[in-house]
Amino acid sequence: AHAVALENVTKTYPGGVTALDDVSLAVRPGTFTAVMGPSGSGKSTLMHCAAGLDAPTEGTVHIDGTAISRLSETHRTELRRDRVGFVFQSYNLVPSLSIADNITLPLRLAGKRPDHDWLRLLVERVGLEGRLTHRPAELSGGQQQRAAIARALVSRPAVVFADEPTGALDLRTAREVLGLLRDLVAGLGQTVVMVTHDPAAASRSDRALVMADGRVVDTLESPTAAELA
Ligand code: ADP
Ligand code: ADP
């Protein structure tokens, strides 16, 4: 199954703005997809519909083979919790919890036990072995984002959605975090869909979708920054 598939998805907000206009796309498992496009082109709406955070007005969304758009709100929440990870620009770590407890929080919320081998591998890959007992405020921005990436992957989700994951980081740290995301996709077989404004960031993807006026107007395989600028 595709990690995510949209078929003829339209989203019209109350008030009449059509933010997505008949969008169809499929994301292969184990790939890194970037979503680009100007402000207001529908990137956030696409991500919200694809992640099951919001229901489309028309069309179907499959996550990992399940038609999430046909599920009740309750089942949609459950499937999202089990099969989808999120990374935000602002990290969204819980300040009062240690890095270890932040990373394992999705498992505890889902009533699942950590797979210790996977956990050790993830912590090693994000380079936070020495920081597990620290609180988020004691870490740099890049380290906090790496903790957020480990948290997003801890349940081995079918897909991780990253919304401007490097938007709050300096250039050098942004590159490190992007390199990490790419290595996780390549090395651990995870699937990442990233919304970004940054052509350099999108050039690290396997495939870039360019949006305009609620449609995917261009699809670039292994794009270069020059093609995306
Ligand atoms: P982007 O993420 O590319 O900036 P969005 O998906 O946020 O684009 O927005 C696409 C369009 O939908 C814009 O015209 C925006 O104003 C509109 N829009 C987004 N969210 C809402 C909402 N909750 N209610 C009404 N209109 C919205
Ligand atoms: P690697 O060797 O893993 O490809 P490098 O650390 O050598 O990565 O950096 C080169 C990569 O960084 C290029 O793929 C380029 O697209 C990307 N890059 C350049 N500028 C930026 C930036 N501002 N933000 C994110 N990535 C960038």
Side-chain angles (χ1 to χ4, degrees):
H2 289 292
V4 183
L6 276 66
E7 284 158 38
N8 304 109
V9 167
T10 293
K11 175 72 184 180
T12 304
Y13 285 109
V17 175
T18 296
L20 293 179
D21 183 6
D22 197 23
V23 171
S24 297
L25 60 93
V27 174
R28 274 179 290 116
T31 60
F32 190 3
T33 301
V35 180
M36 296 197 74
S39 184
S41 59
K43 302 184 296 298
S44 301
T45 304
L46 179 73
M47 199 183 90
H48 282 109
C49 287
L53 287 165
D54 204 353
T57 315
E58 282 174 63
T60 314
V61 177
H62 284 83
I63 295 179
D64 205 20
T66 301
I68 191 165
S69 48
R70 301 225 175 84
L71 300 177
S72 67
E73 180 85 43
T74 312
H75 285 115
R76 192 143 51 90
T77 304
E78 224 167 74
L79 187 135
R80 195 169 63 231
R81 200 184 57 200
D82 289 348
R83 310 302 299 138
V84 181
F86 292 95
V87 177
F88 305 96
Q89 179 170 343
S90 50
Y91 327 132
N92 291 18
L93 298 172
V94 180
S96 59
L97 295 181
S98 69
I99 292 303
D101 286 346
N102 266 286
I103 291 174
T104 55
L105 189 59
L107 293 174
R108 290 203 303 285
L109 291 176
K112 287 195 276 188
R113 281 196 222 165
D115 169 342
H116 288 287
D117 290 341
W118 174 245
L119 206 55
R120 194 174 310 121
L121 182 62
L122 261 186
V123 167
E124 183 196 300
R125 290 293 178 106
V126 298
L128 291 174
E129 297 101 318
R131 299 290 180 161
L132 291 175
T133 61
H134 293 227
R135 308 251 180 258
E138 299 174 278
L139 270 59
S140 71
Q143 289 171 328
Q144 291 187 58
Q145 193 58 305
R146 287 192 264 137
I149 289 168
R151 179 185 57 184
L153 289 162
V154 77
S155 303
R156 296 176 183 267
V159 55
V160 171
F161 289 96
D163 193 358
E164 298 279 0
T166 58
L169 303 173
D170 62 66
L171 210 129
R172 173 190 286 266
T173 313
R175 278 193 192 194
E176 281 170 14
V177 165
L178 282 166
L180 173 68
L181 274 175
R182 195 178 63 175
D183 292 348
L184 290 171
V185 170
L188 300 180
Q190 297 292 305
T191 308
V192 176
V193 177
M194 168 180 73
V195 172
T196 184
H197 277 101
D198 179 1
S203 75
R204 308 299 293 271
S205 70
D206 298 311
R207 192 187 200 198
L209 307 175
V210 183
M211 298 197 66
D213 296 327
R215 289 171 167 270
V216 177
V217 294
D218 210 355
T219 301
L220 300 161
E221 307 291 336
S222 307
T224 63
E227 281 178 293
L228 292 162

